[in-house]
């Protein structure tokens, strides 16, 4: 099992890249490798498998078209489960790059929602107040995951325009209390033992 630490927005994190394949049995639903169907080599990096809850990560890997005994392989990137302080530093970096990246998601959502108004000649202005939200990142040791949230800095109401396909519907006011958290994402990390358990549950074996 080899490790590699590429430059990412989370420089304190370690990404593990593992080459895996399916065992020689049972027979695959996708057929056998041959001259007409040469081995598949799938590249899945970026550690995004960690955004799946652990049972869903197993189901995702099971669904990949890897044929047992065919020479098919998967090169997979996973975030390594380092100590909690190291992981929290990666997300709560002193320069604030992660916070800026995450909060930009509100600006993107705002543009999408404003576009609903433009379809019916309505200007909704600033839907998400720039000083109304902060980023919160914290490590959950029990679940082995980093948790990202938006925190409301005050009591406020966000007005959500109706869907473009149903402009006759009323606007939807959503109230947030001061300090209320809105989930952005969970990012699960894997120790060596947890990674091997994941592969075993998905009927995969490590080959490098």
């Amino acid at each position: 099992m080899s490790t590699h630490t590429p430059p990412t927005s989370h420089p304190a994190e370690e990404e593990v890249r593992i080459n895996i394949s399916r065992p020689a049995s049972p027979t695959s639903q996708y057929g056998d490798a041959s001259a007409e169907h040469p081995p598949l080599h799938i590249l899945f990096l970026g550690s995004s498998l960690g955004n799946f809850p652990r049972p869903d990560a197993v189901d995702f890997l099971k669904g990949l078209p890897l044929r047992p005994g065919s020479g098919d392989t998967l090169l997979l990137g996973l975030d390594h489960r380092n100590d909690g302080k190291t992981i929290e530093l990666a997300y709560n970096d002193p320069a604030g790059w992660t916070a800026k990246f995450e909060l930009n998601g509100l600006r993107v959502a705002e543009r999408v929602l404003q576009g609903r108004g433009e379809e019916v000649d309505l200007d909704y202005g600033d839907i998400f107040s720039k000083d109304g939200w902060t980023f919160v990142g914290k490590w959950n040791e029990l679940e082995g995951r980093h948790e990202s949230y938006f925190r409301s800095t005050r009591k406020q109401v966000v007005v959500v325009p109706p869907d473009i396909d149903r402009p006759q519907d009323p606007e939807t006011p959503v109230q947030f209390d001061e300090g209320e958290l809105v989930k952005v994402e969970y990012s699960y990390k894997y120790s060596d033992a947890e990674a091997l358990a994941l592969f075993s549950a998905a009927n995969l074996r490590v080959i490098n």
Side-chain angles (χ1 to χ4, degrees), residues 149-168:
Y149 301 93
F150 297 134
R151 175 190 282 145
S152 177
T153 61
R154 59 176 180 268
K155 190 170 184 178
Q156 58 183 308
V157 176
V158 173
V159 177
V160 180
D163 190 274
I164 291 177
D165 295 331
R166 300 181 60 85
Q168 73 279 6

Side-chain angles (χ1 to χ4, degrees), residues 81-162:
R81 184 169 178 169
N82 298 318
D83 68 277
K85 289 184 179 179
T86 300
I87 293 174
E88 284 200 335
L89 178 62
Y91 286 86
N92 298 304
D93 58 288
W97 291 112
T98 300
K100 293 175 183 177
F101 173 81
E102 298 285 3
L103 288 168
N104 184 61
L106 286 179
R107 305 279 73 79
V108 174
E110 183 173 72
R111 288 196 295 270
V112 171
L113 294 175
Q114 287 171 339
R116 294 182 178 183
E118 292 171 1
E119 291 290 324
V120 290
D121 295 324
L122 290 176
D123 182 4
Y124 282 96
D126 293 335
I127 295 174
F128 297 102
S129 174
K130 291 182 179 179
D131 62 352
W133 302 91
T134 58
F135 169 74
V136 176
K138 59 183 180 179
W139 171 245
N140 185 324
E141 179 66 30
L142 181 63
E143 297 291 342
R145 70 191 183 198
H146 183 270
E147 300 175 356
S148 297
Y149 301 93
F150 297 134
R151 175 190 282 145
S152 177
T153 61
R154 59 176 180 268
K155 190 170 184 178
Q156 58 183 308
V157 176
V158 173
V159 177
V160 180

Side-chain angles (χ1 to χ4, degrees), residues 4-5 25 27 47-48 55 62 82 86 104 163 190 204 208:
H4 173 63
T5 309
S25 62
T27 304
S47 311
S48 54
K62 281 183 176 180
N82 298 318
T86 300
N104 184 61
D163 190 274
Y190 287 84
L204 297 170
N208 184 19

